[in-house]
Amino acid sequence: MHGFGTTTFGELNAADYDTLHNPDTTKLSVDAIAQIAGDGAQILELAIGSGRMALPLAEMGFEISGIEGSTEMVDLLRKKSGGNDIPIVIGDYADVAIEGPFDHVFLVYNTLFNLPSQEAQLRCFKNVADRLNKNGTFLIETFVPDFSDFENGQRMRTMKIDMHSAWIEAATHDPVNQMFEFQRIRITPEGVKLVPLPMRYAWPSEIDLMAKLAGLQLKSRWGDWQGSPFTNQSKMHVTVYEK
Ligand SMILES: C[S@@+](CC[C@H](N)C(=O)[O-])C[C@H]1O[C@@H](n2cnc3c(N)ncnc32)[C@H](O)[C@@H]1O
C-alpha cells in the first residue's frame, strides 16, 4: 500500500488504540510469555506499542526493553504507571540496533505481518537471532491466513452499526504478493475516517523457514494462548523458536 510506512500505524491508531485493541487474551499471553522466558530473563518486545504486554511483564519484575516505530504509541506507554522505566529504541524492528543480548524476544498480535515483504520479515528474524543469547527464545503470534470470506479477491464487512455511525471494513487479497490490504471506514456525524492497514501474511511453514535461515529452530507451536494443539482448524498460532 503506497504511502504506508513504519510510523503510519501509530499516526492513525494511537488516539483510540487502547480502547479498540484490548483483546481478552492479554493476561493469558502475558502469563505464557513470563513462563516461557523464565525467571530473571532479559526480554525484548518488538513493536512494544502502548505497553499492553510490556507493562504487566515489567510489573512482574522482568527487565524488558522495546523497539517501536511510532512515537505516538510510545507517548501512550510513557504516560502509564512504570512507562518511563522501560528502555525503548524508536525505529523499524526489522533493522534497528538495540543493546542486548536478550534471553527472550517476542512479537505478538499479528505484527510480523506489518512488515511489508518477505525480505523485511527475514531481516527481522536475523535481527532477533543476532540479539538472542544461546538457547534464547523468540515467540511470535500471528493469524493463519484465511480467504474463505473473500470473493474475487475482495471482502466487505460491517464491523459496527448504531443510530449514529457505521464502521465498515473493505479488504482486498493479492495471493501473489501474499498481501491483505484493509481499509477501515468509520462513518460518524463528524465525518468519514479512513484507517488503512496492509498486511503481508505468511504461512507457518514459511515463517519456520525464515527462522531457520536466521539460525533459529522451531521449539513449540500452539493453536491459541491456552496451549491447545495446533491443527489444520487453528485460526492462529503461538510459536516459539530457539537459538
Ligand atoms: C497491533 S500493534 C501491537 C502493539 C503491542 N505489541 C500490543 O500487543 O499491543 C502494532 C505495533 O507495531 C508498530 N509497528 C508497525 N510496524 C513497525 C515497524 N516496522 N517497526 C516498529 N514498529 C512497528 C506500530 O506502531 C504498533 O505500535
Side-chain angles (χ1 to χ4, degrees), residues 40-189:
Q42 298 270 349
I43 301 182
L44 169 66
E45 180 175 6
L46 306 182
I48 193 168
S50 63
R52 180 181 70 92
M53 303 286 297
L55 288 169
L57 283 162
E59 240 173 68
M60 290 163 99
F62 287 99
E63 296 267 324
I64 181 157
S65 306
I67 299 177
E68 172 53 49
S70 159
T71 51
E72 287 90 346
M73 294 295 284
V74 174
D75 286 348
L76 292 177
L77 180 150
R78 295 283 186 228
K79 284 185 195 134
K80 296 176 188 169
S81 169
N84 277 321
D85 303 331
I86 297 182
I88 298 175
V89 172
I90 298 289
D92 185 338
Y93 69 78
D95 303 298
V96 80
I98 183 163
E99 222 171 290
F102 299 94
D103 303 305
H104 183 72
V105 180
F106 68 92
L107 174 60
V108 292
Y109 220 176
N110 306 314
T111 306
L112 176 66
F113 298 164
N114 288 13
L115 293 175
S117 63
Q118 186 189 57
E119 292 72 29
Q121 292 175 2
L122 191 50
R123 286 203 309 278
C124 164
F125 274 91
K126 292 210 161 118
N127 202 14
V128 168
D130 286 349
R131 280 169 181 79
L132 273 181
N133 280 320
K134 191 168 179 289
N135 300 123
T137 46
F138 178 33
L139 178 148
I140 61 158
E141 173 202 15
T142 78
F143 60 79
V144 175
D146 177 5
F147 326 119
S148 52
D149 293 347
F150 284 75
E151 207 178 305
N152 298 323
Q154 58 84 38
R155 181 185 80 187
M156 286 284 276
R157 275 184 180 170
T158 304
M159 308 304 284
K160 183 179 134 179
I161 206 145
D162 60 29
M163 283 290 284
H164 306 291
S165 67
W167 289 22
I168 297 159
E169 183 193 79
T172 57
H173 173 221
D174 170 350
V176 173
N177 292 301
Q178 297 179 202
M179 285 296 294
F180 290 125
E181 293 191 330
F182 300 97
Q183 185 59 269
R184 279 120 191 198
I185 305 158
R186 299 178 190 164
I187 306 166
T188 65

Side-chain angles (χ1 to χ4, degrees), residues 21-60:
H21 296 78
N22 194 7
D24 55 12
T25 50
T26 300
K27 187 174 173 349
L28 268 179
S29 50
V30 165
D31 289 347
I33 286 170
Q35 205 185 354
I36 290 162
D39 284 350
Q42 298 270 349
I43 301 182
L44 169 66
E45 180 175 6
L46 306 182
I48 193 168
S50 63
R52 180 181 70 92
M53 303 286 297
L55 288 169
L57 283 162
E59 240 173 68
M60 290 163 99

